[in-house]
Amino acid sequence: MRKRLTDSRFFQFCAARPKSVIFVVFLFFYGSAFYRLYTAYQMNHPDNPLERMLLYNSWDDGKTFYDIMLHGYKPLPISEYRQMPLYPLACRIASPLTGKAPSLMAVSVLSSFLSLLVLHSIYRRHFIKEGAALGGVIFFMVLRSPQSLFVFFSNHLPPMEILVSIQGSESLFLLFVIFSYYFMIREDHIKAAILLAFATLTRLPGCFVAFGAFVYLLGKRDKRAFWYVLSPLTLLLVFGYFYLISGDFFAFFTGSKKYYPTGALTLPYTDLVKMIIRQWNDPHDLFYCHFHYYILYHSWFVIGLIFLFKKDKRIFWLTFPSYLVNISLKDWSHHTRYYVVLWGISWIWYCLIFRPDRIKPDRTRLDNITGKA
């Protein structure tokens, strides 16, 4: 009989040491991305390449987070109020150990790695074999969207695919979101709701995830749905604080409008339709030729959502509201950073491609994994 890959000594060795394998793969991807970016900044800014990279590499947000961390919101212009406070606060707490600018990277890296460990625990809840759970985490790191393959071939490694953008709040946000789901599957909705409130303090889309959890439980007539009202209540507290220091209760939206003057909610896929019309009217406009890619990109998420709805409605509702808002953002709905936190899409594609759930889970083993009696 032909020996299967899963029976090989190497595979068995990896399955016996999942956390070590996750750490090695994570270090490989992050270390390679860091080296590539750092050497580029070292050539252009030899005096202080690390600080320049941390403050100016990712979408101009690094300097904003850094300023909030150092000074708070009050002395800053209203455009800086577009960022939520928990990530810069976490960086400020870490800064005595790491240094001021490096704290941006330290919080991001640690959050990314911890999110992988929590995701591994969740996958152990879904899959009976350790190898399947480990494979799901590696798939999550390597293939998050069609962009993963394109970036892999152009840049040799996908720097965003493990949610490390050198600095940024996505990593901490995803940690809270995944950790909240960990408690959802244990039916501990109080802790899950608190973690989604922390996610909302990190990035506004935490409210969309909480809304999805609310809708899912309300559809099951489960009164614990109302625990997820904590996220919008937390948001009101932040807005109240902004009002006290700026006189503008909606300073978050005012700042976003100031920074993105054309940004607003519109009909879904408006940006994509505009690309197609522009290309139709001017076939030689190369800037819009990449709308073919975005059709593929969104097909990845739409097909994933369809299968999520069929297979796991809970993860569907935790994913769909965020995706719906993302595709309705005028003039910036194609920012891939908004989509890489939709971990449920990666999970369903892993199930569709590799079929790790072909064997029905054994309830006794799963209860031991999740700590149930």
Side-chain angles (χ1 to χ4, degrees):
M1 177 180 288
R2 188 174 180 179
K3 190 175 182 180
R4 295 182 301 175
L5 177 63
T6 54
D7 295 328
S8 67
R9 289 185 178 181
F10 176 76
F11 189 90
Q12 296 299 326
F13 177 85
C14 292
R17 299 164 179 81
K19 293 180 175 61
S20 298
V21 173
I22 292 171
F23 176 76
V24 170
V25 176
F26 174 84
L27 190 64
F28 173 72
F29 276 100
Y30 174 73
S32 301
F34 176 85
Y35 175 77
R36 178 169 54 81
L37 284 171
Y38 182 78
T39 51
Y41 274 89
Q42 197 171 33
M43 292 176 61
N44 297 321
H45 307 281
D47 293 337
N48 199 346
L50 180 62
E51 184 169 318
R52 292 285 301 184
M53 178 180 70
L54 295 177
L55 299 188
Y56 299 104
N57 178 64
S58 298
W59 310 288
D60 303 323
D61 288 345
K63 186 66 166 59
T64 296
F65 287 128
Y66 185 71
D67 289 341
I68 295 172
M69 178 187 72
L70 291 182
H71 310 294
Y73 290 91
K74 192 170 183 178
L76 301 181
I78 196 69
S79 60
E80 307 299 71
Y81 285 62
R82 71 188 188 277
Q83 301 293 356
M84 299 297 285
L86 192 53
Y87 173 68
L89 177 60
C91 295
R92 185 166 187 167
I93 294 171
S95 61
L97 296 175
T98 63
K100 293 177 181 178
S103 67
L104 299 171
M105 180 173 62
V107 172
S108 180
V109 172
L110 182 61
S111 299
S112 293
F113 181 65
L114 291 177
S115 69
L116 297 177
L117 296 184
V118 177
L119 190 65
H120 174 262
S121 298
I122 292 172
Y123 284 174
R124 283 291 282 139
R125 174 68 174 81
H126 282 285
F127 308 135
I128 194 170
K129 292 187 177 180
E130 178 62 67
L134 178 58
V137 175
I138 293 176
F139 185 88
F140 177 78
M141 285 192 277
V142 174
L143 185 60
R144 302 298 310 284
S145 73
Q147 187 203 27
S148 308
L149 297 177
F150 288 95
V151 177
F152 184 92
F153 288 114
S154 61
N155 293 336
H156 307 297
L157 285 172
M160 272 298 293
E161 302 317 305
I162 50 174
L163 281 223
V164 174
S165 54
I166 303 303
Q167 50 74 14
S169 58
E170 288 87 358
S171 303
L172 186 60
F173 171 80
L174 187 69
L175 174 62
F176 288 132
V177 169
I178 293 179
F179 212 0
S180 70
Y181 183 73
Y182 173 81
F183 285 108
M184 285 182 200
I185 61 178
R186 296 168 65 95
E187 298 297 324
D188 193 341
H189 291 281
I190 297 177
K191 291 178 182 177
I194 292 172
L195 285 164
L196 283 183
F198 284 137
T200 303
L201 285 172
T202 308
R203 294 185 68 82
L204 183 68
C207 270
F208 309 148
V209 181
F211 175 74
F214 175 82
V215 170
Y216 172 76
L217 288 175
L218 204 63
K220 297 171 71 69
R221 298 182 180 179
D222 191 331
K223 294 181 180 179
R224 292 176 299 178
F226 291 96
W227 280 111
Y228 294 96
V229 177
L230 279 174
S231 284
L233 290 178
T234 302
L235 196 62
L236 291 177
L237 289 176
V238 175
F239 288 179
Y241 171 71
F242 285 168
Y243 174 76
L244 291 176
I245 63 175
S246 71
D248 184 354
F249 185 79
F250 298 104
F252 174 87
F253 300 104
T254 305
S256 298
K257 186 71 174 177
K258 192 81 172 177
Y259 192 76
Y260 305 108
T262 62
L265 286 176
T266 184
L267 294 175
Y269 299 118
T270 295
D271 287 356
L272 186 60
V273 172
K274 284 166 60 178
M275 276 188 180
I276 294 173
I277 295 173
R278 177 74 173 268
Q279 181 67 30
W280 181 269
N281 293 332
D282 186 3
H284 301 292
D285 191 337
L286 297 179
F287 180 75
Y288 284 87
C289 286
H290 61 322
F291 81 83
H292 298 93
Y293 163 74
Y294 284 111
I295 291 176
L296 172 65
Y297 187 86
H298 288 295
S299 296
W300 169 276
F301 287 97
V302 171
I303 294 171
L305 284 167
I306 291 172
F307 280 98
L308 266 180
F309 185 78
K310 293 181 177 179
K311 184 177 179 62
D312 194 319
K313 287 185 173 57
R314 175 165 50 189
I315 301 182
F316 169 84
W317 280 110
L318 296 177
T319 307
F320 176 68
S322 297
Y323 178 75
L324 182 61
V325 172
N326 290 343
I327 61 176
S328 303
L329 297 173
K330 182 182 178 183
D331 291 338
W332 33 295
S333 67
H334 293 322
H335 288 204
T336 54
R337 63 183 296 195
Y338 300 136
Y339 300 89
V340 291
V341 295
L342 304 181
W343 68 273
I345 302 296
S346 176
W347 177 79
I348 193 62
W349 275 107
Y350 175 64
C351 292
L352 292 174
I353 295 172
F354 295 102
R355 301 296 303 278
D357 54 345
R358 284 176 294 182
I359 304 174
K360 291 290 183 181
D362 178 73
R363 298 307 310 176
T364 303
R365 291 190 61 184
L366 291 180
D367 288 345
N368 290 334
I369 292 168
T370 57
K372 291 183 180 179

